[in-house]
């Protein structure tokens, strides 16, 4: 429907450093920068795809992992991103994501338990009109793999502590165009 629509283009630049920090310990880090030119977006008034303002992103990713000979693992990671589109932060783009996970074998019978903690920083929604709070959740997994078996069995409990949190939905552009009211779903 829009003959003036240009294709999206993306340019990226990334530097990565990975290092072994002794027996069983690994570190990795990266810095990146990208630009999305002419991103395609739906115009809320005309309901036609148009090219929006360029999106700029800068970020860092860090991960540290330790593995022990008994099969235990401890891993932590952090991702920070700083985005801008037309001078504003794009919707649903948290500035930071963090994760910590630990796994431990339960004896020699093939049982393994793992706990994962995830955190999401606050972010904007509804074209920067609303602030969605950050949150953290915990997940637990118990798995079983018999020795010399080609199969395993696992069960997970997601959101272990029943944490309530919000995730923004896109703005209903048809409703916005008809009423001028911006609503979150």
């Amino acid at each position: 429907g829009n003959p003036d629509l240009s294709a999206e283009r993306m340019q990226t630049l990334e530097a990565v450093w990975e290092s072994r920090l002794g027996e069983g310990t690994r570190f990795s880090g990266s810095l990146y920068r990208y630009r999305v030119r002419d991103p395609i977006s739906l115009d809320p008034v005309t309901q036609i795809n148009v090219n929006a303002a360029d999106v700029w992103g800068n970020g860092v990713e860090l991960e540290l992992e330790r593995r022990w000979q008994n099969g235990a693992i401890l891993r932590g990671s952090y991702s920070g991103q700083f985005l801008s589109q037309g001078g504003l932060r794009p919707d649903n783009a948290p500035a930071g994501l963090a994760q910590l996970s630990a796994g431990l074998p339960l004896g020699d019978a093939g049982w393994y338990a793992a706990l994962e903690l995830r955190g999401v920083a606050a972010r904007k929604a509804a074209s920067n009109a609303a602030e969605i709070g950050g949150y953290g959740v915990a997940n637990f997994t118990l798995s079983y793999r018999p020795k010399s078996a080609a199969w395993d069995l696992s069960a997970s409990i997601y959101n272990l502590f029943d944490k309530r949190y919000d995730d923004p939905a896109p703005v209903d552009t048809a409703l916005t165009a008809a009423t001028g009211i911006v609503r979150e779903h």
Side-chain angles (χ1 to χ4, degrees):
N2 182 356
D4 297 325
L5 193 63
S6 299
E8 294 179 332
R9 296 177 312 242
M10 185 172 188
Q11 298 171 318
T12 62
L13 177 64
E14 182 174 16
V16 178
W17 179 47
E18 294 185 7
S19 180
R20 295 267 178 217
L21 304 174
E23 182 82 20
T25 304
R26 180 184 62 82
F27 172 81
S28 67
S30 68
L31 297 172
Y32 62 87
R33 179 175 179 84
Y34 67 85
R35 178 182 182 187
V36 179
R37 293 179 185 224
D38 300 322
I40 296 173
S41 180
L42 185 66
D43 184 289
V45 176
T46 64
Q47 296 293 299
I48 295 175
N49 285 328
V50 296
N51 293 109
D54 291 357
V55 177
W56 288 89
N58 297 302
V60 60
E61 294 179 357
L62 305 169
E63 181 177 82
L64 183 63
E65 178 184 271
R66 172 75 170 125
R67 292 179 179 261
W68 286 268
Q69 289 184 357
N70 69 354
I73 300 173
L74 181 63
R75 180 182 304 126
S77 64
Y78 174 77
S79 232
Q81 61 177 354
F82 309 96
L83 305 178
S84 177
Q85 183 177 27
L88 298 173
R89 183 172 198 73
D91 286 352
N92 201 19
L97 304 169
Q99 182 172 318
L100 180 64
S101 58
L104 184 67
L106 303 174
D108 294 329
W111 289 95
Y112 195 83
L115 179 67
E116 174 193 54
L117 306 173
R118 292 184 309 124
V120 177
R123 60 244 187 256
K124 297 287 188 177
S127 300
N128 284 263
E131 175 88 15
I132 305 299
Y135 65 89
V137 295
N139 302 318
F140 177 77
T141 300
L142 183 63
S143 59
Y144 174 69
R145 172 179 243 160
K147 292 186 188 296
S148 304
W151 60 272
D152 61 34
L153 178 68
S154 66
S156 296
I157 300 172
Y158 295 98
N159 197 359
L160 182 63
F161 301 110
D162 197 26
K163 171 76 174 167
R164 291 186 177 265
Y165 60 90
D166 294 320
D167 269 331
V171 173
D172 185 333
T173 54
L175 181 63
T176 302
T179 66
I181 298 171
V182 175
R183 290 178 104 169
E184 286 294 308
H185 296 284

